[in-house]
């Protein structure tokens, strides 16, 4: 069975602080994919990143960075110099590649509040 | 923009009535999904489709059925709505490869009184 745990239900920081959102996953598969999605107050789900299980390189995109560590089954997301517009619910998700087209397993989300 | 629309966007209905939600995509994607989002649960998969007339159950399929008679449309039906099905429903499509990311529609807020 697959499982994604986002232990931080809510995080509140002051603008310009750095913040890390934790994601821990469980899967028995050797091939899988990890994702982060953002859900701003308007409600839509925005894709941020995909990472496959064979690629443990960290990734940086502007103020966003992702740290994938297979040894600890974690795929953490850091926002540097946070801004009010980063306020949203962030979801980590897992997809095992069994050759089929099954859906994603989502964590429960972390509500990030950036205070001005 | 993955060209996904959902209708209706909001609906209020009464317990026991049938409800059908529609997901429409314009880019000929093979894989389509229905999720529900509830506070404290994140998103959970209801049903998915891997082609016309090819569907399968997800984690929370009880009380729901789906149909896909055309590539572009994926319908979710609540045969007899219950208050526990009050939720926000998201449709999603997956890119060309099975491992690709999913893109989501704008969601439908359903309230069952």
């Amino acid at each position: 069975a697959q499982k994604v745990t986002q232990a931080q239900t809510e995080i509140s920081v002051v603008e310009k602080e750095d913040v890390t959102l934790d994601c821990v996953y469980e899967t028995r598969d050797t091939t899988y994919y990890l994702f982060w999605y953002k859900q701003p107050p308007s409600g839509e789900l925005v894709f941020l990143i995909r990472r496959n299980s064979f690629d443990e390189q960290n990734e940086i995109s502007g103020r966003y960075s992702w740290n994938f560590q297979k040894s600890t089954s974690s795929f953490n997301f850091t926002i540097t110099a946070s801004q009010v517009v980063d306020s949203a619910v962030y979801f980590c998700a897992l997809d095992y590649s069994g050759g089929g087209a099954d859906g994603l397993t989502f964590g429960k989300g972390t509500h990030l509040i950036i205070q001005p | 923009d993955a060209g996904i629309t959902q209708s209706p966007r909001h609906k209020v209905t009464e317990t026991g009535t049938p409800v059908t939600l529609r997901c429409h995509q314009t880019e000929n994607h093979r894989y389509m999904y229905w999720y529900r989002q509830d506070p404290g649960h994140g998103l959970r998969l209801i049903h998915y489709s891997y082609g016309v007339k090819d569907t399968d159950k997800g984690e929370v399929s009880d009380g729901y059925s789906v149909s896909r008679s055309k590539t572009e449309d994926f319908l979710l039906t609540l045969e007899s709505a219950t208050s526990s099905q009050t939720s926000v429903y998201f449709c999603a499509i997956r890119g060309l490869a099975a491992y690709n990311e999913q893109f989501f529609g704008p969601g439908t807020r359903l309230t069952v009184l």
Side-chain angles (χ1 to χ4, degrees):
Chain A
Q2 299 186 112
K3 186 178 179 182
V4 175
T5 301
Q6 295 181 256
Q8 304 151 310
T9 304
E10 184 174 289
I11 300 174
S12 181
V13 301
V14 177
E15 197 172 21
K16 297 184 183 177
E17 288 186 10
D18 299 346
V19 58
T20 295
L21 309 182
D22 297 333
C23 173
V24 174
Y25 62 92
E26 297 176 27
T27 180
R28 294 180 180 176
D29 298 285
T30 56
T31 301
Y32 52 88
Y33 298 83
L34 295 161
F35 303 83
W36 276 95
Y37 285 85
K38 174 182 180 180
Q39 187 175 43
S42 52
E44 72 271 24
L45 284 153
V46 179
F47 164 74
L48 295 178
I49 189 171
R50 178 189 76 212
R51 174 65 63 200
N52 74 55
S53 55
F54 297 117
D55 183 2
E56 289 195 67
Q57 280 191 341
N58 292 332
E59 183 153 342
I60 298 174
S61 176
R63 297 183 295 107
Y64 294 173
S65 62
W66 291 269
N67 180 265
F68 175 36
Q69 292 197 334
K70 235 172 156 176
S71 60
T72 57
S73 297
S74 65
F75 186 41
N76 296 337
F77 173 29
T78 297
I79 301 175
T80 302
S82 60
Q83 300 177 1
V84 173
V85 293
D86 296 325
S87 296
V89 179
Y90 290 86
F91 292 98
C92 181
L94 170 66
D95 181 14
Y96 64 93
S97 177
D102 296 355
L104 303 179
T105 298
F106 282 82
K108 295 182 179 181
T110 297
H111 184 199
L112 177 62
I113 300 168
I114 309 298
Q115 299 180 10
Chain B
D1 184 1
I4 310 167
T5 57
Q6 293 184 230
S7 58
R9 294 292 314 279
H10 301 271
K11 185 171 182 66
V12 179
T13 190
E14 294 191 350
T15 298
T17 59
V19 176
T20 295
L21 308 182
R22 179 183 184 232
C23 178
H24 179 77
Q25 55 123 339
T26 59
E27 299 185 3
N28 209 33
H29 292 284
R30 178 182 175 190
Y31 307 114
M32 298 184 75
Y33 306 82
W34 277 106
Y35 293 86
R36 60 177 290 174
Q37 182 179 16
D38 303 290
H41 289 279
L43 282 87
R44 293 178 292 174
L45 182 67
I46 305 172
H47 280 279
Y48 63 98
S49 170
Y50 43 96
V52 173
K53 298 186 179 179
D54 290 324
T55 64
D56 208 344
K57 296 178 179 180
E59 177 189 357
V60 291
S61 59
D62 287 349
Y64 301 95
S65 62
V66 290
S67 66
R68 193 168 178 202
S69 58
K70 299 185 290 184
T71 299
E72 58 266 34
D73 288 326
F74 192 31
L75 304 181
L76 176 70
T77 297
L78 292 65
E79 301 291 347
S80 178
T82 67
S83 58
S84 64
Q85 293 176 311
T86 293
S87 187
V88 179
Y89 292 86
F90 285 97
C91 173
I93 59 93
R94 186 192 290 269
L96 292 177
Y99 54 79
N100 281 0
E101 55 272 17
Q102 294 185 15
F103 295 97
F104 289 80
T108 293
R109 183 173 295 276
L110 176 67
T111 302
V112 183
L113 302 175

